[in-house]
Amino acid sequence: MSVWNKIRLPFAGAARSDVICPYCLERLERKNLIRVCPICKKETPDTGRVEKCSTPGCGGSFTQLKCGYEFCGAMLPAGLLEYDKYLRFSMIGTVGAGKTSFLTAMLHELRNADNSPWVLSHMDSLTETTFQKNERRMFEEKKTMEATTAGISPRPQLWRIRDLDKQTNRRIPSYSVTIYDGAGEDFEKEIDPVISRYVAGSKVLVILIDPLVLNEAVSEIPKEIRDWSSSNTSRHTKDTKGTPTAMVDNLANFIRACCGISVDKKIDRDVAIVFTKVDIVEGEFHAGVTMQPSPHLEKRGFDLADADAVDQEIRDWLAEKRQSAFLKAINANFVNGRVRFFGVSNFGKPPVGPYRLGTVTPHRVLDPLIWMLYKEGIVPAV
């Protein structure tokens, strides 16, 4: 039976998702696939079978797959046609929100948590090289991340998650995870067509917000903690602090432009609004659920009661800090039933000096990902 026929078969009683090129995000059908010989690089249309290369003296086989769209032409990761689920999300946020730090902390925790049922592995070498560099800087060198270079469209990170909780004697279900992490400045400029494709093709939008941009919320935080916890430029501080409505509207306008959503309609996408750096406002939540350890991994599912409590605590905190304009802007731009608030700490505690961290112990950084797995039907509500 051909590889292409295999992806049409149901696994674990559920039909497979469409196969998407992780680079251009176009749907891949057989007519859009090209097979490549890894030895002589000869190309041939995909027939659903791995055939021998006919080039004299080569001796190879057409084992590699390539996206057949002319504007893409990317080599596809091995096994791309064989996943049970295809998960795609884009991280959107303003400058200094900590997108790369959040992504690094989330992947580190997913890979190293003792009670995780998932095995994380990279799908291409660039993904692993990027992660190792960032992980080493954050967890070993104990330095804050350098800002993502603006104006350069990075390749998406491609990860594979294997689900040990659902394994059988014959197979382990696996999920393809495509993550796009761009520079904050790129979300404030003219729409880049590459970025637009990733945002439009994402199943979940993760909007990261630095609580430092909300003046009333952090007015009592010592200045040195604010300075050490922020990678903001003076331009960013001047333009965004004290203007929560404009910040949300700018992000919403960017999403609308990418996804072709008119201004008179709310954005009907699953949206995780993640407040990073809750460590610097820990005292505001006292003994609240937000600052307690996450229960989701322990319970092997998405704890709706816990998530609802965190969502409500963050909304109440914003209201208490006179951020009603921020909440109104969220309600005006997004379908309320598809928005959930999260509070995380990438480092676990504030930096101890300029660009210097203490021991890094991420807090609740897996919660948005587990919510996405719940929305995909991969983990149950508990």
Side-chain angles (χ1 to χ4, degrees):
M1 182 176 291
S2 72
V3 173
W4 186 257
N5 286 335
K6 285 182 182 178
I7 74 166
R8 297 298 186 184
L9 292 177
F11 286 93
R16 292 293 299 273
S17 302
D18 290 339
V19 181
I20 304 291
C21 173
Y23 303 107
C24 69
L25 299 182
E26 293 289 342
R27 181 177 177 180
L28 291 176
E29 299 182 11
R30 185 185 296 175
K31 64 182 180 181
N32 308 122
L33 289 169
I34 297 172
R35 287 200 168 270
V36 180
C37 172
I39 299 177
C40 70
K41 306 304 179 184
K42 181 179 180 179
E43 299 181 354
T44 187
D46 178 50
T47 62
R49 298 185 302 274
V50 177
E51 299 177 347
K52 285 285 187 180
C53 180
S54 60
T55 301
C58 176
S61 299
F62 293 102
T63 56
Q64 295 182 337
L65 282 173
K66 176 180 176 179
C67 177
Y69 290 99
E70 291 185 4
F71 58 86
C72 180
M75 296 301 298
L76 301 173
L80 181 67
L81 306 183
E82 301 168 11
Y83 291 100
D84 294 84
K85 292 279 189 178
Y86 293 84
L87 315 179
R88 304 180 298 278
F89 70 90
S90 294
M91 294 193 300
I92 302 171
T94 53
V95 179
K99 293 181 293 300
T100 302
S101 297
F102 168 74
L103 178 57
T104 302
M106 183 193 75
L107 294 170
H108 174 87
E109 291 295 284
L110 185 62
R111 176 172 278 183
N112 293 284
D114 292 335
N115 55 349
S116 172
W118 304 301
V119 177
L120 179 72
S121 57
H122 61 278
M123 292 172 62
D124 66 355
S125 59
L126 180 60
T127 292
E128 180 66 9
T129 299
T130 301
F131 171 68
Q132 286 183 356
K133 175 186 174 183
N134 292 336
E135 184 184 43
R136 182 166 54 251
R137 179 181 178 91
M138 184 167 158
F139 288 88
E140 297 179 15
E141 299 173 5
K142 294 182 171 59
K143 296 178 182 178
T144 56
M145 291 294 175
E146 296 177 345
T148 303
T149 303
I152 299 176
S153 299
R155 287 169 71 90
Q157 295 200 33
L158 306 178
W159 293 97
R160 175 190 303 112
I161 296 178
R162 284 174 286 184
D163 195 339
L164 298 182
D165 268 358
K166 293 183 173 63
Q167 66 179 318
T168 66
N169 289 333
R170 301 188 64 181
R171 69 183 304 271
I172 300 176
S174 57
Y175 318 118
S176 166
V177 183
T178 302
I179 306 170
Y180 178 76
D181 170 29
E185 292 93 337
D186 290 334
F187 299 114
E188 302 169 3
K189 299 179 179 180
E190 184 177 349
I191 302 300
D192 178 280
V194 176
I195 297 175
S196 178
R197 282 204 304 274
Y198 287 123
V199 174
S202 293
K203 292 186 175 182
V204 175
L205 301 176
V206 180
I207 299 178
L208 300 185
I209 297 177
D210 183 352
L212 289 169
V213 303
L214 306 177
N215 273 333
E216 293 288 342
V218 298
S219 59
E220 298 178 4
I221 304 298
K223 183 179 183 302
E224 66 177 16
I225 297 297
R226 281 182 282 156
D227 291 342
W228 295 343
S229 299
S230 176
S231 61
N232 301 344
T233 63
S234 59
R235 179 201 63 76
H236 171 61
T237 301
K238 178 180 178 181
D239 288 351
T240 60
K241 283 207 172 190
T243 59
T245 303
M247 178 179 64
V248 174
D249 285 342
N250 287 340
L251 288 169
N253 289 340
F254 174 84
I255 294 169
R256 282 195 173 90
C258 290
C259 301
I261 301 172
S262 63
V263 295
D264 62 337
K265 295 185 182 299
K266 291 188 176 184
I267 298 170
D268 193 11
R269 294 286 184 94
D270 287 327
V271 177
I273 299 181
V274 182
F275 276 89
T276 59
K277 310 176 189 177
V278 293
D279 48 87
I280 66 172
V281 292
E282 180 178 2
E284 300 289 340
F285 292 94
H286 306 294
V289 175
T290 302
M291 302 312 301
Q292 300 300 314
S294 174
H296 304 298
L297 278 183
E298 188 79 24
K299 294 186 176 182
R300 288 294 202 272
F302 189 66
D303 188 329
L304 283 173
D306 175 88
D308 288 345
V310 169
D311 180 270
Q312 191 60 53
E313 282 183 2
I314 293 175
R315 292 175 187 269
D316 291 344
W317 169 65
L318 289 168
E320 290 170 4
K321 293 299 178 178
R322 301 179 183 178
Q323 298 300 322
S324 59
F326 177 89
L327 290 170
K328 287 180 180 178
I330 293 293
N331 290 335
N333 284 290
F334 299 94
V335 173
N336 189 49
R338 302 193 69 173
V339 173
R340 187 175 287 276
F341 284 85
F342 295 88
V344 310
S345 171
N346 302 330
F347 309 138
K349 59 192 70 173
V352 298
Y355 304 103
R356 292 193 295 114
L357 302 172
T359 301
V360 178
T361 54
H363 176 71
R364 283 187 175 269
V365 291
L366 286 179
D367 289 11
L369 175 64
I370 298 175
W371 178 62
M372 182 170 71
L373 297 177
Y374 157 68
K375 299 293 287 186
E376 286 284 341
I378 294 172
V379 300
V382 294

